[in-house]
Amino acid sequence: MVPNTLVSPQPESSSSVSVWHRSRIKSKTKPRSSSRPPLLLLAIVAVATFFLHGYHLGVEDSEIYLPAIKKLIHPALYPFAPEFFLSHGHLSLFSPVVAWTAMATGLSADWAILLWYVLTLYAMAIACWMVAKACFESTRARWGAVLLTMAVLTMPATNTGLLLMDPYLTARSMSTPLTLIALASLLERRFVRAGVAAALTATVHPQMAVYLLFLMGVILVHRRIRARSLEPAPAMASLALILPGGFHLGPATGPYREALFSRDYFFLSTWAWYHWLGMIGPLAILGWFWRSRLRKTTDSFACLSFAMIPFGMLSILAAGILSSSTIFEMFVRLQPLRTFHLITLVLILLLGGVAGEFCTGKLRWAGIAALLAAAVGLGISDVMLYPASPHVEWPAKQSENAWINTLLWVRQNTPENAVFAVDSRYFLEPGVDTHGFRSISERSALADYYKDSGVVSLFPALAPEWKQMTEATNGLNHFSLADFKRLETQYPAVSWTVINGTAPAGLVCPFVQGGYSVCKLPAEDAGRGSVSRSVSGLQSAPSSSQNAPTARASAWGIPSFSGRIG
């Protein structure tokens, strides 16, 4: 039974007046609150969020996004194998926008990236307020929604491999607040603003824009049905996807299959019971929100709560179909369960608003204590995810993290066209804290096994070269001089290496510090060839393990880099 303090009294004519008409009546009889969000207070919230959750340059998916930005600023960078980040980057205006900011302001790339991260946090706080304003009448409920969301902003969205918002800059940092702005505008029937926000979302993250358009379609159909006084029904017709090329029925094979199954959460059949709870639980709570007339909630609150149910159920159905047979494996990269990123985010927003409205009087301090506990818990978790790194990584020429410090030395002391070989499994090494080699060193490198496999899972054509490169450098930290000579023969463009440990005799290593060695490979320059050749043009020796066994979740044992590519 719903407590009376939470439930609004039912009007006598509620059975004959539609949700649509009630909202129109309310708009005529009640004064509108200020449409302007409290920008200064929200700026303070954004700054507090920045220091609570921290900031990390060049980690996780930044290894894909940041090189694309830096290459636009300095085209001479990354002459070797840029396909591993440009294949992804050319689909979005994210990289050009950040690069243009750096060039227009005179800031370094690292400072421009940090600036945009802070701006996206501010945009997120404003977007949360806009959704809360559409769903709640009271100011305290709106602040409850904003504060809870920002306090748990780095929590995972079930088993999607995504956080609500990352502690580093990616295209999702922009698309997430834009998505919320589009939803808030649609709920308030500001259709032009909703369309502009949705279009901007598509320019920075086309994949997330598809999910947004699907949800907007569900909301519009639901409203139309309610306006006609019919029973609500899922909007099956709103599910429309325009697929790019490269999709066909049939199983994934060879190196692409290995890369695809390294993201086992793509497959619903691999989800554990607690992952299912992370899907069904939010939908159940949202269903209760929809059916209950909670105190001082608007019709948009019920509308948004309902819309999430068919949105989520159809996503589960689509994921189940794609996981049901090997013939659909080439379609699994569509990742329909990414919709639960938005579902989880909306649930947290609405929960915060309900708590803000309910926790009054004697319960006020209990609500504040719960909010602080959530914030402290997530803050501690954020610190633990990057144990060897500062909580806030300001752009600098040196770092207390030995791996980062090594990469900064590489950036400052090696030629821009240098090509490096690093152990393809370096992401798992203690102390690395998932900081990517390319993003921080600003140098080209052979592909790595973990992060570049995320790109390969979306772009199958890269799979053969990815497999060859990652096999060539597997175990590099223990290579002998003969192994490095073999690597030079296979990839003549490679001229430098970074070794975690002691370098073998015969290598010249101008940097040895913090357990890392940066060494120049002793090949004659004439034999190196041009480093400007693309991946597809390399003349590399065939790999002896082209049909290696599938690498599943055992290679992804830690959640901090669960393949958030895209």
Side-chain angles (χ1 to χ4, degrees):
M1 180 177 295
V2 181
N4 292 333
T5 56
L6 280 177
V7 180
S8 298
Q10 294 281 352
E12 295 181 0
S13 59
S14 61
S15 60
S16 60
V17 180
S18 68
V19 174
W20 176 280
H21 293 143
R22 282 202 304 272
S23 64
R24 292 175 66 88
I25 292 172
K26 288 180 182 179
S27 66
K28 294 179 180 179
T29 58
K30 292 186 177 182
R32 285 176 176 257
S33 59
S34 175
S35 60
R36 295 182 179 180
L39 297 179
L40 179 58
L41 292 177
L42 291 174
I44 296 173
V45 170
V47 172
T49 302
F50 174 81
F51 287 104
L52 171 64
H53 297 300
Y55 169 74
H56 301 280
L57 178 70
V59 302
E60 304 277 4
D61 286 1
S62 296
E63 175 70 349
I64 306 302
Y65 287 105
L66 267 56
I69 295 170
K70 294 183 176 183
K71 189 168 180 62
L72 287 172
I73 299 172
H74 303 291
L77 294 177
Y78 308 109
F80 178 86
E83 288 85 349
F84 285 100
F85 57 86
L86 292 183
S87 294
H88 198 273
H90 82 277
L91 299 176
S92 166
L93 292 181
F94 167 77
S95 298
V97 167
V98 180
W100 178 86
T101 302
M103 292 184 285
T105 60
L107 293 172
S108 68
D110 290 350
W111 278 106
I113 290 163
L114 173 58
L115 172 64
W116 266 107
Y117 179 71
V118 174
L119 290 176
T120 58
L121 281 181
Y122 187 33
M124 188 67 181
I126 294 173
C128 289
W129 178 270
M130 293 174 66
V131 175
K133 177 178 174 293
C135 294
F136 298 99
E137 295 178 1
S138 71
T139 300
R140 66 171 177 267
R142 296 169 185 174
W143 274 115
V146 172
L147 293 177
L148 179 62
T149 304
M150 301 301 283
V152 300
L153 201 57
T154 55
M155 69 172 284
T158 187
N159 193 37
T160 60
L162 302 176
L163 305 182
L164 298 187
M165 196 165 175
D166 302 304
Y168 51 90
L169 185 70
T170 70
R172 288 187 309 278
S173 305
M174 294 184 182
S175 67
T176 301
L178 286 171
T179 295
L180 292 182
I181 291 171
L183 287 179
S185 302
L186 182 65
L187 292 172
E188 294 185 331
R189 298 180 178 85
R190 298 178 182 269
F191 299 113
V192 173
R193 190 173 69 187
V196 171
L200 290 175
T201 303
T203 65
V204 296
H205 205 308
Q207 185 182 25
M208 302 307 280
V210 171
Y211 306 141
L212 169 62
L213 293 175
F214 173 28
L215 178 58
M216 293 174 73
V218 174
I219 292 173
L220 290 173
V221 171
H222 171 58
R223 279 183 164 171
R224 180 178 293 272
I225 290 173
R226 293 293 293 173
R228 294 176 179 175
S229 300
L230 299 175
E231 291 297 319
M236 294 293 292
S238 66
L239 181 60
L241 297 178
I242 301 176
L243 302 180
F247 291 88
H248 61 272
L249 292 176
T253 59
Y256 178 65
R257 182 177 179 82
E258 182 175 352
L260 183 65
F261 276 87
S262 70
R263 268 73 181 159
D264 70 329
Y265 58 87
F266 281 12
F267 299 86
L268 190 58
S269 57
T270 67
W271 285 37
W273 65 268
Y274 46 87
H275 297 144
W276 279 87
L277 184 62
M279 286 194 301
I280 303 303
L283 296 181
I285 296 172
L286 289 164
W288 181 73
F289 283 169
W290 165 52
R291 298 296 297 177
S292 304
R293 291 184 54 83
L294 299 181
R295 184 177 69 192
K296 292 190 177 181
T297 60
T298 67
D299 293 319
S300 293
F301 175 89
C303 178
L304 185 58
S305 298
F306 168 77
M308 291 295 165
I309 300 172
F311 184 55
M313 295 304 294
L314 288 175
S315 300
I316 295 174
L317 176 62
I321 292 173
L322 295 182
S323 298
S324 64
S325 173
T326 57
I327 67 172
F328 298 120
E329 286 181 354
M330 298 302 294
F331 290 84
V332 168
R333 53 190 152 134
L334 292 175
Q335 304 175 66
L337 292 177
R338 277 196 169 208
T339 56
F340 278 87
H341 172 263
L342 186 53
I343 291 170
T344 306
L345 180 56
V346 169
L347 172 66
I348 297 299
L349 261 169
L350 299 185
L351 275 175
V354 171
E357 180 61 37
F358 177 70
C359 293
T360 58
K362 295 181 179 180
L363 292 176
R364 177 176 300 172
W365 292 109
I368 294 174
L371 176 65
L372 290 175
V376 171
L378 265 293
I380 293 174
S381 175
D382 294 328
V383 172
M384 293 175 64
L385 282 177
Y386 304 95
S389 306
H391 188 53
V392 175
E393 297 183 41
W394 304 100
K397 293 184 177 181
Q398 288 187 326
S399 171
E400 62 188 58
N401 179 297
W403 169 249
I404 300 174
N405 205 44
T406 301
L407 301 188
L408 291 174
W409 186 93
V410 168
R411 181 195 296 188
Q412 299 162 25
N413 295 276
T414 62
E416 287 186 349
N417 65 346
V419 179
F420 277 76
V422 186
D423 193 308
S424 59
R425 272 71 172 175
Y426 76 88
F427 248 63
L428 285 178
E429 294 173 0
V432 171
D433 282 355
T434 69
H435 288 83
F437 177 86
R438 292 191 199 99
S439 59
I440 297 179
S441 71
E442 299 182 358
R443 296 297 180 264
S444 297
L446 298 181
D448 81 271
Y449 187 84
Y450 296 111
K451 190 48 61 179
D452 287 336
S453 64
V455 177
V456 173
S457 70
L458 301 178
F459 300 95
L462 296 175
E465 285 297 334
W466 166 78
K467 179 63 176 178
Q468 289 183 9
M469 289 184 183
T470 56
E471 286 298 309
T473 57
N474 188 14
L476 178 142
N477 292 328
H478 306 287
F479 274 14
S480 65
L481 185 61
D483 292 324
F484 280 110
K485 290 182 177 180
R486 171 193 55 78
L487 183 63
E488 287 181 302
T489 301
Q490 189 172 357
Y491 291 101
V494 174
S495 53
W496 290 79
T497 185
V498 176
I499 302 171
N500 184 359
T502 304
L507 292 184
V508 177
C509 304
F511 178 92
V512 179
Q513 185 176 311
Y516 292 96
S517 302
V518 180
C519 308
K520 197 170 190 315
L521 300 187
E524 295 183 4
D525 292 339
R528 295 198 183 281
S530 172
V531 298
S532 62
R533 292 176 293 181
S534 67
V535 170
S536 58
L538 290 175
Q539 299 297 319
S540 57
S543 172
S544 61
S545 57
Q546 197 79 334
N547 296 316
T550 297
R552 280 182 173 266
S554 59
W556 289 84
I558 60 176
S560 62
F561 61 98
S562 51
R564 304 170 192 159
I565 297 292

